[in-house]
């Protein structure tokens, strides 16, 4: 019964997000003089949002456990930088190897974060704030002040972002695969369900025989892996790797998750919502230049939307709680 | 680390101030401070001269000014990471007021008031919606305030006069001791009194040890939150005045990443981010440890990138020490 209601609430929330998106889209379409809702622009939008979407799906496991990872931007930069350096040093290397290197780097970073939080019991925000700076510093050291540009990367690697499979841009196709895998993992795998359990109440999860520490470690490793993977795609998409890349990216990622209904305190959230959240941010990012909003406003608007949506989340949660209480009283 | 005997621990703390345990941590910090100073001495022989040392201290006086109120916020188990952005917004507001010709004195007051308002906003949101964690609220206001600052100022900057009393705020000194350092010391005394000798301070510690329990024992948790966040914003505004006077200009991108240094100082000073633990003398020692370490690494000609790694790792290590004790100390108590 409870589960049924939860799922219902989730779908309602997603519908509400779509309903909030529609007027924004209409307004943008009107203001931009009809160039927003064209096939070309929408394809661009999806492609630009793909990396953010992948990263947001990757952030979800940690947020489900009630933690947070501020270091994803730095991990992305580190993975991307290492991958790009590899491409430069050994030309002709297969793109799959580069992606693998990115994943491995990310997993190592994630495991380190997980060790700090699960074993040493540092609060996730503090631990990842520290590693965010440490990994960023490492990226600078690896980059050594250089920029690695498209010319050093080779066409085969760059086609990863520009080419398409079955008429869908590769990045978008990868994003879809990530979301399908994520959906199956979070909905049907015991490991994925453990994340929800560990997030909503660690003590009872422990009593139920779930190894909470190992679940946390898994969540951090997963997020790290996706961050490294997304870092390579980021480099591929923009055609440049440097020390500063993806700095501040964690804010957009967290924003996408929170917009999508993932609770900061853990235990609730649906991957479909995260997809919609990242899409909403993508629309804003894509549309603001179209309707000539100055870039200085974009940061403030993005922050305002995050603040608004988390407050709205609380208000909705209170309403739902109150309604449930009323219903129980009546019975 | 919830302790079942919360109340007893609080009483024990009240009775003998638990000097034995505290001294341990603070003695460690003192050793660390001596070590950092010795390292700096080796790197640059002229480092020990009084004026040179004071110059080194002046460099992080603005961070020290923010660190004390943030320590008090951390004591209640909350966190404020929007301080860097608050500082930037205050400085930018001050710059705009100066550009339209308001007298400097009024501009300074406006800067401090802007900071206090930003903090008040954080506090009110947290008090109204107490399910929200302060971390996510201040994370979003971090973006909002920084965004507002760049909306107001864009990529420009406002220059302030390089002569006169405003410039003296940061560049002037009293008996060789810069005003900023003196202000930070006075503030440390004030907060030491506030945390350790007043009912208010004890209430903060109680809220940090268990906010539900303290709510039921009649402490006005929401009011405390609002006051503390306002204080931390207010002192970010004060730091904005010092930093602007130091750089003689206000820009939207100033004080980026300050929150990391400030939180590192507070956590290294012995404040647990879970709340309820920490002493002000610890923070007072931790501030020069980090500030002078940065200074020394700069003297060693280390790039700013490597300094990032060092400070980041220091933050992690400081936060990990209680956990390490848990791992190796033997008295592992399940949560």
């Amino acid at each position: 019964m409870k589960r049924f209601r939860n799922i219902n609430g989730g779908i309602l929330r997603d519908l509400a997000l779509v309903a909030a998106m529609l007027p924004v889209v209409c307004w943008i379409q009107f203001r931009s003089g009809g160039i927003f809702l064209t096939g070309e622009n929408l394809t661009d939008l999806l492609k630009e949002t793909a990396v953010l979407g992948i990263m947001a799906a990757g952030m979800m496991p940690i947020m489900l456990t009630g933690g947070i990872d501020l270091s994803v931007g730095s991990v992305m930069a580190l993975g991307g930088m290492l991958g790009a350096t590899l491409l430069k040093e050994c030309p002709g290397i297969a793109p799959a190897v580069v992606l693998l290197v990115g994943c491995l780097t990310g997993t190592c970073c994630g495991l380190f974060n997980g060790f700090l939080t699960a074993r040493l019991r540092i609060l996730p925000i503090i631990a990842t704030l520290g590693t965010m700076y440490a990994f960023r510093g490492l990226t600078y050291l690896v980059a050594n002040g250089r920029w690695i540009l498209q010319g050093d990367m080779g066409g085969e690697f760059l086609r990863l972002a520009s080419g398409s499979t079955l008429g869908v841009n590769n990045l978008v196709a990868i994003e879809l695969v990530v979301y399908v895998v994520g959906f199956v993992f979070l909905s049907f795998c015991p490991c994925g369900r453990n994340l929800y359990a560990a997030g909503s109440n660690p003590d009872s999860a422990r009593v139920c025989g779930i190894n909470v520490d190992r679940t946390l470690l898994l969540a951090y490793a997963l997020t790290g892996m996706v961050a490294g993977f997304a870092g390579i795609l980021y480099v591929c998409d923009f055609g440049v790797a440097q020390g500063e890349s993806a700095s501040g990216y964690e804010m957009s990622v967290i924003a996408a998750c929170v917009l999508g209904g993932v609770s900061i305190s853990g235990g609730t959230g649906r991957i479909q919502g995260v997809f919609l959240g990242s899409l909403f941010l993508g629309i804003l990012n894509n549309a603001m230049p179209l309707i000539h909003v100055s870039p200085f406003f974009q940061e403030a608007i993005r922050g305002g939307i995050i603040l608004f949506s988390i407050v709205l989340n609380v208000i909705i949660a209170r309403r739902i709680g109150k309604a449930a209480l009323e219903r129980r009283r009546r019975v | 680390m919830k302790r079942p005997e919360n109340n007893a621990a609080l009483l024990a703390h009240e009775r003998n101030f638990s000097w034995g345990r505290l001294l341990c941590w603070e003695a460690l910090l003192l050793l660390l401070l001596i070590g950092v100073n010795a390292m700096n001495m080796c790197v640059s022989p002229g480092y020990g001269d009084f004026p040179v040392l004071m110059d080194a201290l002046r460099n992080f006086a603005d961070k020290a000014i923010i660190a004390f109120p943030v320590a008090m916020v951390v004591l209640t188990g909350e966190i404020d990471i929007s301080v860097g952005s608050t500082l930037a917004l205050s400085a930018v507001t001050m710059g705009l007021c100066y550009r339209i010709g308001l007298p400097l004195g009024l501009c300074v007051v406006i800067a401090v008031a802007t900071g206090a308002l930003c903090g008040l906003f954080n506090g009110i949101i947290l008090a109204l919606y107490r399910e929200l964690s302060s971390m996510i609220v201040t994370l979003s206001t971090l973006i909002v305030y920084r965004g507002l600052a760049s909306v107001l100022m864009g990529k420009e900057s406002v220059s302030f006069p390089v002569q006169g009393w405003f410039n003296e705020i940061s560049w002037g000194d009293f008996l060789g001791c810069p005003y900023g350092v003196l202000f930070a010391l006075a503030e440390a005394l004030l907060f030491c009194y506030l945390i350790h000798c007043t009912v208010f301070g004890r209430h903060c510690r109680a809220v940090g040890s268990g906010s539900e329990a303290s709510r039921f024992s009649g402490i006005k948790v929401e009011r405390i939150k609002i006051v503390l966040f306002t204080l931390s914003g207010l002192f970010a505004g004060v730091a904005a005045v010092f930093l602007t006077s130091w750089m003689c200009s206000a820009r939207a991108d100033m004080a980026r990443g300050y929150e990391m240094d400030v939180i590192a100082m507070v956590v290294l000073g012995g404040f647990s981010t879970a709340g309820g633990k920490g002493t002000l003398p610890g923070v007072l020692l931790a501030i020069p440890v980090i500030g002078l370490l940065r200074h020394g690494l700069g003297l060693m000609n280390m790039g700013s990138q490597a300094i990032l790694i060092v400070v980041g790792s220091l933050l992690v290590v400081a936060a990990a020490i209680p956990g390490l004790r848990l791992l190796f100390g033997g008295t592992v108590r399940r949560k």
Side-chain angles (χ1 to χ4, degrees):
Chain A
M1 178 66 188
K2 183 153 188 255
R3 195 168 150 216
F4 177 71
R5 209 156 53 217
N6 270 350
I7 289 175
N8 250 353
I11 290 174
L12 272 182
R13 214 193 159 285
D14 293 350
L15 285 179
L17 191 57
V18 173
M21 254 191 255
L22 280 178
V24 175
V25 168
C26 292
W27 185 67
I28 293 167
Q29 170 75 356
F30 175 68
R31 283 294 301 271
S32 64
I35 51 172
F36 179 68
L37 284 180
T38 53
E40 199 183 345
N41 188 49
L42 286 184
T43 323
D44 271 1
L45 191 155
L46 279 178
K47 184 185 165 224
E48 281 165 20
T49 320
V51 177
L52 176 66
I54 292 171
M55 197 54 252
M59 178 68 112
M60 215 185 140
I62 289 189
M63 301 214 9
L64 284 181
T65 64
I68 200 161
D69 190 348
L70 296 181
S71 70
V72 286
S74 303
V75 175
M76 279 174 74
L78 185 60
M81 196 65 219
L82 280 175
T85 314
L86 195 69
L87 275 170
K88 192 183 181 187
E89 298 301 324
C90 342
I93 196 166
V97 179
V98 181
L99 281 175
L100 198 66
V101 167
C103 284
L104 277 180
T105 318
T107 313
C108 291
C109 296
L111 277 175
F112 184 65
N113 280 337
F115 174 74
L116 293 178
T117 44
R119 290 262 165 240
L120 298 184
R121 313 224 176 256
I122 310 179
L123 282 192
I125 150 92
I126 298 294
T128 54
L129 190 67
T131 54
M132 162 177 138
Y133 284 87
F135 294 150
R136 179 65 63 185
L138 275 180
T139 312
Y140 282 126
L141 286 189
V142 174
N144 206 4
R146 286 169 308 152
W147 288 41
I148 296 179
L149 297 171
Q150 272 179 329
D152 298 319
M153 291 181 190
E156 204 188 341
F157 177 69
L158 290 172
R159 261 194 296 284
L160 206 58
S162 56
S164 53
T165 349
L166 303 173
V168 182
N169 177 282
N170 277 341
L171 284 180
V172 181
I174 294 175
E175 187 190 11
L176 287 179
V177 171
V178 167
Y179 271 94
V180 170
V181 171
F183 177 73
V184 172
F185 175 73
L186 289 176
S187 310
F188 301 114
C189 282
C191 275
R193 300 311 298 174
N194 284 355
L195 292 174
Y196 282 92
S200 50
N201 192 336
D203 288 331
S204 33
R206 208 168 274 130
V207 172
C208 292
I210 295 170
N211 190 336
V212 173
D213 287 0
R214 199 188 293 158
T215 308
L216 280 182
L217 208 58
L218 173 86
Y220 281 86
L222 255 181
T223 301
M225 187 183 83
V226 177
F229 184 72
I232 301 282
L233 295 180
Y234 184 90
V235 166
C236 190
D237 192 15
F238 286 87
V240 60
Q242 44 132 338
E244 278 289 332
S245 55
S247 69
Y249 210 73
E250 57 278 350
M251 302 294 175
S252 301
V253 174
I254 295 170
C257 284
V258 173
L259 270 175
V262 181
S263 155
I264 280 289
S265 46
T268 42
R270 286 148 38 91
I271 201 161
Q272 302 92 310
V274 172
F275 179 76
L276 289 177
S278 68
L279 199 64
F280 192 43
L281 273 191
I283 289 175
L284 285 180
N285 283 348
N286 175 281
M288 278 197 262
L290 278 187
I291 55 174
H292 307 295
V293 173
S294 114
F296 301 121
F297 275 90
Q298 295 178 11
E299 207 182 353
I301 291 178
R302 197 177 307 146
I305 285 175
I306 303 175
L307 192 62
F308 180 70
S309 64
I310 55 174
V311 168
L312 201 66
N313 263 352
V314 170
I315 294 175
I316 292 174
R318 279 186 184 176
R319 280 273 164 81
I320 291 177
K322 206 183 253 176
L325 197 68
E326 292 279 308
R327 210 168 333 160
R328 244 174 286 152
R329 271 207 194 121
R330 237 174 282 147
V331 173
Chain B
M1 317 303 130
K2 269 175 214 146
R3 284 157 298 165
E5 67 281 23
N6 246 339
N7 223 351
L10 210 69
L11 279 178
H13 183 269
E14 211 160 318
R15 217 175 294 130
N16 56 14
F17 208 60
S18 47
W19 274 112
R21 249 209 347 233
L22 297 181
L23 219 58
C24 238
W25 185 250
E26 266 115 52
L28 197 76
L29 281 176
L30 199 61
L31 278 180
L32 208 58
L33 184 58
I34 293 171
V36 168
N37 274 314
M39 181 194 85
N40 288 356
M41 279 290 221
C42 293
V43 176
S44 137
Y47 169 79
D49 295 347
F50 186 69
V52 181
L53 194 62
M54 281 301 140
D55 235 31
L57 289 181
R58 168 160 42 199
N59 271 329
F60 54 87
D62 45 350
K63 283 177 193 159
I65 290 171
I66 309 177
F68 298 118
V70 170
M72 212 154 169
V73 170
V74 170
L75 183 69
T76 62
E78 307 286 331
I79 202 164
D80 188 355
I81 54 174
S82 68
V83 281
S85 303
T86 306
L87 196 160
L89 186 55
S90 305
V92 162
T93 318
M94 178 162 68
L96 285 181
C97 289
Y98 180 67
R99 195 157 66 180
I100 60 170
L102 293 183
L104 256 177
L106 190 61
C107 294
V108 168
V109 174
I110 288 175
V112 176
T114 310
L117 271 182
C118 291
L120 183 67
F121 182 70
N122 284 338
I124 286 180
I125 294 248
L126 282 168
L128 279 183
Y129 306 105
R130 59 173 192 245
E131 298 97 320
L132 289 174
S133 73
S134 51
M135 151 54 214
I136 192 70
V137 170
T138 53
L139 186 68
S140 46
T141 52
L142 174 144
I143 309 176
V144 172
Y145 296 158
R146 179 75 65 184
L148 281 180
S150 57
V151 165
L152 289 175
M153 195 64 112
K155 284 248 177 286
E156 306 162 44
S157 66
V158 171
S159 303
F160 284 84
V162 288
Q163 267 156 4
W165 65 267
F166 184 72
N167 194 46
E168 281 291 298
I169 291 178
S170 260
W171 291 87
D173 51 41
F174 177 74
L175 298 177
C177 198
Y179 292 133
V181 177
L182 285 178
F183 184 88
L185 285 177
E187 194 194 335
L189 274 181
L190 172 74
F191 273 92
C192 196
Y193 174 74
L194 212 55
I195 289 184
H196 295 298
C197 308
T198 62
V199 177
F200 180 71
R202 261 216 234 300
H203 279 177
C204 292
R205 198 177 288 275
V207 171
S209 322
S211 85
E212 279 311 304
S214 23
R215 181 171 291 124
F216 285 129
S217 47
I219 297 176
K220 295 201 167 56
V221 177
E222 269 63 46
R223 192 186 290 172
I224 285 182
K225 271 187 202 165
I226 292 183
V227 169
L228 287 185
F229 276 90
T230 311
L231 268 183
S232 107
L234 183 122
F235 279 100
V238 173
V241 174
F242 277 100
L243 190 62
T244 312
S245 138
W246 172 248
M247 307 207 299
C248 293
S249 75
R251 292 171 54 92
D253 63 351
M254 64 202 293
R256 228 177 240 282
Y258 261 40
E259 55 280 350
M260 209 267 294
D261 270 24
V262 167
I263 289 170
M265 285 164 176
V266 171
V267 172
L268 188 67
F271 278 83
S272 152
T273 40
K277 276 187 205 137
T279 67
L280 204 100
V283 178
L284 193 57
L285 284 170
I287 288 167
V289 167
I290 290 186
L292 291 176
L293 184 70
R294 264 182 175 249
H295 182 73
L297 294 177
L299 286 180
M300 279 153 90
N301 225 352
M302 201 181 257
S304 57
Q305 308 98 349
I307 294 183
L308 275 189
I309 301 185
V310 173
V311 178
S313 324
L314 200 64
L315 172 60
V316 169
V317 169
I321 284 174
L324 279 176
R325 221 186 279 156
L326 211 83
L327 265 191
F328 302 114
T331 53
V332 185
R333 203 181 289 166
R334 305 295 295 187
K335 245 168 89 178

